[in-house]
């Protein structure tokens, strides 16, 4: 009985202790290139379409704002939806990050600035901020190489480049 109670206490107290330790760290700002893709993207095909769509949309917004005193806060941009590849199979971002649990230690949060090309592949990734214990020997290349995105679209046309901040936290 005492063993069971002590085991339960240990299970519930361990995450609390690691979070207390995590609170003692400060957020560190760095601008370190972690990953750069060697894969060359296909040439971007939609430059003229995006320019004509932008100009027609801005003319439309200008006409509407002249009719009424309205500020257009609607943005036609959306964040790219992320997913992972594992053994050439598409899996959700959560499953993908869970497969890297052994890389990151407890109580660590990392913020990556990632640049996606129009096909949804990462061209480069920078580590912008981190909090906790950082080890540069972690396998960032595998993590970022197999992370993909459904391309962000502007009026149905994939954008040439998209930057995004990706937080990765392990508790």
């Amino acid at each position: 009985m005492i063993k069971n109670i002590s085991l339960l206490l240990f299970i519930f107290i361990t995450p609390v202790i690691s979070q207390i330790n995590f609170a003692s760290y400060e957020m560190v700002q760095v601008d370190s290139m972690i990953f750069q893709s060697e894969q060359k993207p296909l040439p971007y095909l939609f430059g003229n379409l995006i320019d004509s769509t932008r100009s027609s949309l801005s003319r439309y917004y200008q006409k509407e704002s002249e009719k009424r005193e309205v500020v257009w806060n609607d943005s036609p941009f959306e964040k790219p939806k992320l997913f992972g590849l594992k053994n050439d199979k598409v899996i959700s971002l959560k499953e993908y990050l869970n497969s890297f649990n052994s890389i990151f230690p407890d109580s660590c949060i990392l913020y990556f600035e990632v640049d996606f090309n129009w096909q949804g592949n990462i061209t480069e990734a920078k580590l912008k901020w981190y909090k906790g214990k950082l080890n540069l020997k972690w396998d960032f290349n595998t993590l970022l190489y197999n992370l993909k995105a459904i391309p962000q679209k502007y009026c149905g046309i994939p954008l040439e480049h998209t930057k995004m901040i990706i937080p990765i936290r392990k508790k």
Side-chain angles (χ1 to χ4, degrees):
M1 179 74 168
I2 293 176
K3 286 182 182 178
N4 291 341
I5 292 172
S6 62
L7 181 63
L8 283 173
L9 283 174
F10 179 74
I11 290 172
F12 288 115
I13 291 175
T14 304
V16 173
I17 292 171
S18 68
Q19 290 302 314
I20 291 169
N21 188 23
F22 181 66
S24 67
Y25 290 102
E26 290 186 19
M27 186 67 77
V28 178
Q29 183 174 359
V30 291
D31 195 12
S32 175
M33 182 71 72
I34 294 292
F35 174 79
Q36 201 161 17
S37 176
E38 296 174 8
Q39 181 182 358
K40 300 293 179 201
L42 294 174
Y44 184 67
L45 309 171
F46 306 104
N48 295 335
L49 288 173
I50 284 212
D51 290 340
S52 64
T53 305
R54 274 192 187 133
S55 61
S56 65
L57 195 58
S58 67
R59 281 195 304 271
Y60 170 75
Y61 281 168
Q62 189 174 7
K63 285 179 188 175
E64 288 297 316
S65 65
E66 288 171 1
K67 289 181 191 175
R68 322 175 201 131
E69 292 295 322
V70 175
V71 177
W72 292 92
N73 290 329
D74 299 345
S75 173
F77 302 106
E78 78 236 11
K79 282 185 180 177
K81 294 177 178 66
L82 302 176
F83 61 91
L85 295 179
K86 188 173 182 183
N87 302 326
D88 294 328
K89 292 184 179 178
V90 174
I91 59 173
S92 73
L93 178 63
K94 185 175 180 181
E95 286 178 284
Y96 182 69
L97 292 178
N98 283 340
S99 67
F100 285 91
N101 274 347
S102 61
I103 291 180
F104 304 114
D106 287 337
S107 303
C108 179
I109 185 165
L110 307 164
Y111 290 94
F112 293 101
E113 181 184 80
V114 180
D115 187 19
F116 292 99
N117 64 16
W118 70 275
Q119 298 169 291
N121 298 321
I122 294 177
T123 54
E124 64 181 32
K126 292 181 181 179
L127 179 63
K128 296 299 268 185
W129 302 279
Y130 72 90
K131 183 175 182 177
K133 298 174 185 174
L134 177 67
N135 183 353
L136 293 175
K137 293 181 182 175
W138 293 337
D139 193 6
F140 290 120
N141 283 339
T142 305
L143 171 75
L144 296 167
Y145 182 76
N146 291 314
L147 186 64
K148 308 291 180 193
I150 298 171
Q152 178 186 24
K153 295 189 177 195
Y154 179 85
C155 297
I157 303 167
L159 292 178
E160 189 169 5
H161 289 285
T162 304
K163 282 198 182 291
M164 185 176 177
I165 297 286
I166 302 174
I168 296 178
R169 167 116 193 236
K170 182 168 185 272
K171 318 183 213 181

